[in-house]
């Protein structure tokens, strides 16, 4: 399965990236042993110029196009933003503004944010969850917010594990459902004795209907 992590952290090192990495590791660790999880991280900091150019000329640059393709093809997403002015960052919103509106439909998404104060924790519910609900993504019930005082404190590891378990369950469940719904080809009853399709002329079909 392909798990894509979108991090909107601006500094290096970044608490936003740290939270993103912990969520990704927990999600990969929650998947069944027989399932390989390919994790790819998209750092929006590195795409800021190309995102701005996309707004002005309508075309994504090479790196931005690769990031958009990765997000579109992902089986699940982890999105993490720092909080600015009680909402997600402008860079975070701009990235999801340039993506195809249908790209996230039905895709499992874990939303998370970081901030300097616990007072901003409701950003998950009043900003991020409505955004991804509008994009018709499947947002996991547990969202994760990490304030400065949460690092090393009780509660954050448990929230990370709970959210990761929910995302992993959605990803594996949807992948299994997709595989089960894949057509397996015609049955023997739909074929002739030699395993070839039998074509009945239309006139014979009409005659058979008239004889009923």
């Amino acid at each position: 399965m392909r798990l894509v992590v979108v991090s909107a952290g601006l500094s290096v090192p970044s608490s936003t990236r740290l939270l993103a990495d912990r969520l990704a590791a927990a999600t990969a660790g929650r998947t069944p042993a027989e399932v390989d999880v390919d994790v790819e991280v998209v750092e929006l900091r590195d795409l800021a110029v190309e995102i701005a150019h996309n707004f002005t000329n309508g075309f994504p640059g090479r790196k931005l196009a690769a990031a958009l393709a990765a997000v579109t093809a992902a089986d699940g997403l982890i999105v993490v933003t720092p909080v600015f002015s009680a909402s997600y960052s402008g860079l975070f919103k701009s990235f999801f503004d340039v993506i195809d509106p249908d790209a996230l439909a039905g895709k499992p998404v874990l939303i998370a944010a970081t901030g300097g104060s616990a007072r901003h924790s409701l950003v998950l519910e009043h900003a991020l969850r409505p955004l991804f609900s509008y994009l018709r993504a499947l947002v996991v019930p547990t969202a994760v917010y990490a304030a400065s005082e949460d690092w090393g404190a009780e509660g954050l590891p448990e929230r990370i594990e709970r959210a990761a378990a929910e995302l992993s369950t959605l990803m594996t469940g949807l992948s299994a459902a997709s595989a089960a719904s894949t057509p397996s080809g015609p049955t023997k009853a739909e074929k002739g004795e030699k395993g070839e399709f039998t074509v009945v002329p239309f006139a014979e079909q009409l005659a058979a209907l008239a004889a009923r």
Side-chain angles (χ1 to χ4, degrees):
M1 293 190 302
R2 290 165 293 188
L3 174 63
V4 174
V5 181
V6 178
S7 172
L10 299 179
S11 60
V12 180
S14 164
S15 61
T16 300
R17 175 61 188 272
L18 176 60
L19 180 58
D21 288 343
R22 289 194 179 183
L23 289 167
T27 303
R30 288 280 186 165
T31 56
E34 66 274 11
V35 178
D36 291 328
V37 180
D38 181 21
V39 180
E40 180 177 349
V41 178
V42 175
E43 281 280 11
L44 298 187
R45 179 186 63 248
D46 301 330
L47 302 174
V49 174
E50 291 193 13
I51 291 173
H53 286 170
N54 191 99
F55 279 113
T56 57
N57 60 28
F59 297 97
R62 180 176 55 83
K63 292 182 180 180
L64 178 58
L68 295 175
V71 168
T72 300
D75 295 301
L77 290 178
I78 295 173
V79 298
V80 191
T81 178
V83 176
F84 291 112
S85 302
S87 188
Y88 37 62
S89 71
L91 180 60
F92 181 87
K93 180 61 162 59
S94 295
F95 177 76
F96 288 101
D97 280 343
V98 300
I99 200 168
D100 187 286
D102 297 322
L104 303 187
K107 198 180 299 295
V109 177
L110 192 167
I111 57 175
T114 59
S117 169
R119 292 179 302 166
H120 295 303
S121 60
L122 286 178
V123 69
L124 296 167
E125 304 304 326
H126 75 66
L128 270 77
R129 195 177 296 276
L131 169 63
F132 289 96
S133 295
Y134 172 78
L135 295 172
R136 292 179 291 137
L138 297 178
V139 185
V140 302
T142 301
V144 180
Y145 178 83
S148 298
E149 62 266 25
D150 288 330
W151 298 103
E154 294 183 2
L156 180 59
E158 289 77 10
R159 295 199 303 274
I160 289 174
E161 290 295 330
R162 185 166 63 249
E166 293 169 355
L167 178 60
S168 176
T169 298
L170 270 179
M171 290 174 62
T172 54
L174 290 176
S175 295
S178 177
S181 64
T182 301
S184 57
T187 63
K188 289 232 175 186
E190 296 170 325
K191 298 182 178 182
E193 292 183 359
K194 296 182 180 180
E196 297 178 353
F197 290 102
T198 301
V199 179
V200 179
F202 186 60
E204 293 184 23
Q205 297 181 47
L206 288 178
L209 289 173
R212 291 180 182 179

